[in-house]
PDB file of all heavy atoms in Angstrom:
ATOM      1  N   ARG Z  80     134.594 116.741 104.402  1.00  0.00           N
ATOM      2  CA  ARG Z  80     135.804 117.406 103.943  1.00  0.00           C
ATOM      3  C   ARG Z  80     136.094 117.165 102.482  1.00  0.00           C
ATOM      4  O   ARG Z  80     135.604 116.206 101.883  1.00  0.00           O
ATOM      5  CB  ARG Z  80     137.013 116.939 104.779  1.00  0.00           C
ATOM      6  CG  ARG Z  80     137.325 115.463 104.602  1.00  0.00           C
ATOM      7  CD  ARG Z  80     138.608 115.162 105.318  1.00  0.00           C
ATOM      8  NE  ARG Z  80     138.941 113.765 105.229  1.00  0.00           N
ATOM      9  CZ  ARG Z  80     139.131 112.966 106.306  1.00  0.00           C
ATOM     10  NH1 ARG Z  80     138.941 113.415 107.528  1.00  0.00           N
ATOM     11  NH2 ARG Z  80     139.485 111.701 106.136  1.00  0.00           N
ATOM     12  N   PRO Z  81     136.894 118.044 101.873  1.00  0.00           N
ATOM     13  CA  PRO Z  81     137.365 117.799 100.516  1.00  0.00           C
ATOM     14  C   PRO Z  81     138.280 116.586 100.536  1.00  0.00           C
ATOM     15  O   PRO Z  81     139.087 116.380 101.449  1.00  0.00           O
ATOM     16  CB  PRO Z  81     138.168 119.057 100.164  1.00  0.00           C
ATOM     17  CG  PRO Z  81     137.729 120.082 101.135  1.00  0.00           C
ATOM     18  CD  PRO Z  81     137.386 119.336 102.383  1.00  0.00           C
ATOM     19  N   THR Z  82     138.153 115.754  99.522  1.00  0.00           N
ATOM     20  CA  THR Z  82     139.023 114.575  99.411  1.00  0.00           C
ATOM     21  C   THR Z  82     139.083 114.164  97.950  1.00  0.00           C
ATOM     22  O   THR Z  82     138.580 114.866  97.065  1.00  0.00           O
ATOM     23  CB  THR Z  82     138.487 113.429 100.288  1.00  0.00           C
ATOM     24  OG1 THR Z  82     139.474 112.385 100.333  1.00  0.00           O
ATOM     25  CG2 THR Z  82     137.202 112.893  99.775  1.00  0.00           C
ATOM     26  N   GLN Z  83     139.779 113.075  97.700  1.00  0.00           N
ATOM     27  CA  GLN Z  83     139.824 112.516  96.344  1.00  0.00           C
ATOM     28  C   GLN Z  83     139.322 111.082  96.407  1.00  0.00           C
ATOM     29  O   GLN Z  83     139.583 110.371  97.378  1.00  0.00           O
ATOM     30  CB  GLN Z  83     141.257 112.514  95.823  1.00  0.00           C
ATOM     31  CG  GLN Z  83     141.776 113.923  95.489  1.00  0.00           C
ATOM     32  CD  GLN Z  83     143.170 113.884  94.897  1.00  0.00           C
ATOM     33  OE1 GLN Z  83     144.054 113.135  95.304  1.00  0.00           O
ATOM     34  NE2 GLN Z  83     143.388 114.698  93.871  1.00  0.00           N
ATOM     35  N   VAL Z  84     138.620 110.685  95.355  1.00  0.00           N
ATOM     36  CA  VAL Z  84     138.164 109.304  95.245  1.00  0.00           C
ATOM     37  C   VAL Z  84     138.529 108.770  93.867  1.00  0.00           C
ATOM     38  O   VAL Z  84     138.638 109.534  92.906  1.00  0.00           O
ATOM     39  CB  VAL Z  84     136.616 109.188  95.498  1.00  0.00           C
ATOM     40  CG1 VAL Z  84     136.287 109.547  96.913  1.00  0.00           C
ATOM     41  CG2 VAL Z  84     135.851 110.024  94.473  1.00  0.00           C
ATOM     42  N   ASP Z  85     138.717 107.466  93.786  1.00  0.00           N
ATOM     43  CA  ASP Z  85     139.106 106.787  92.547  1.00  0.00           C
ATOM     44  C   ASP Z  85     137.850 106.150  91.941  1.00  0.00           C
ATOM     45  O   ASP Z  85     137.291 105.227  92.517  1.00  0.00           O
ATOM     46  CB  ASP Z  85     140.155 105.741  92.859  1.00  0.00           C
ATOM     47  CG  ASP Z  85     140.692 105.055  91.594  1.00  0.00           C
ATOM     48  OD1 ASP Z  85     139.991 105.081  90.571  1.00  0.00           O
ATOM     49  OD2 ASP Z  85     141.781 104.474  91.661  1.00  0.00           O
ATOM     50  N   LEU Z  86     137.411 106.676  90.819  1.00  0.00           N
ATOM     51  CA  LEU Z  86     136.196 106.141  90.136  1.00  0.00           C
ATOM     52  C   LEU Z  86     136.654 105.319  88.946  1.00  0.00           C
ATOM     53  O   LEU Z  86     136.737 105.796  87.818  1.00  0.00           O
ATOM     54  CB  LEU Z  86     135.316 107.288  89.697  1.00  0.00           C
ATOM     55  CG  LEU Z  86     134.838 108.225  90.823  1.00  0.00           C
ATOM     56  CD1 LEU Z  86     134.043 109.382  90.246  1.00  0.00           C
ATOM     57  CD2 LEU Z  86     134.015 107.462  91.844  1.00  0.00           C
ATOM     58  N   GLY Z  87     137.015 104.083  89.188  1.00  0.00           N
ATOM     59  CA  GLY Z  87     137.423 103.198  88.102  1.00  0.00           C
ATOM     60  C   GLY Z  87     138.691 103.639  87.395  1.00  0.00           C
ATOM     61  O   GLY Z  87     138.759 103.527  86.168  1.00  0.00           O
ATOM     62  N   GLY Z  88     139.638 104.132  88.145  1.00  0.00           N
ATOM     63  CA  GLY Z  88     140.904 104.583  87.557  1.00  0.00           C
ATOM     64  C   GLY Z  88     140.965 106.085  87.321  1.00  0.00           C
ATOM     65  O   GLY Z  88     142.052 106.610  87.025  1.00  0.00           O
ATOM     66  N   ARG Z  89     139.854 106.761  87.463  1.00  0.00           N
ATOM     67  CA  ARG Z  89     139.860 108.221  87.311  1.00  0.00           C
ATOM     68  C   ARG Z  89     139.760 108.821  88.706  1.00  0.00           C
ATOM     69  O   ARG Z  89     138.760 108.621  89.408  1.00  0.00           O
ATOM     70  CB  ARG Z  89     138.683 108.649  86.454  1.00  0.00           C
ATOM     71  CG  ARG Z  89     138.575 110.147  86.334  1.00  0.00           C
ATOM     72  CD  ARG Z  89     137.841 110.633  85.096  1.00  0.00           C
ATOM     73  NE  ARG Z  89     136.753 109.785  84.616  1.00  0.00           N
ATOM     74  CZ  ARG Z  89     136.049 110.083  83.523  1.00  0.00           C
ATOM     75  NH1 ARG Z  89     136.314 111.174  82.828  1.00  0.00           N
ATOM     76  NH2 ARG Z  89     135.053 109.286  83.137  1.00  0.00           N
TER      77      ARG Z  89
END
Side-chain angles (χ1 to χ4, degrees):
R80 64 172 179 239
T82 189
Q83 290 184 318
V84 294
D85 184 339
L86 302 176
R89 177 156 33 182

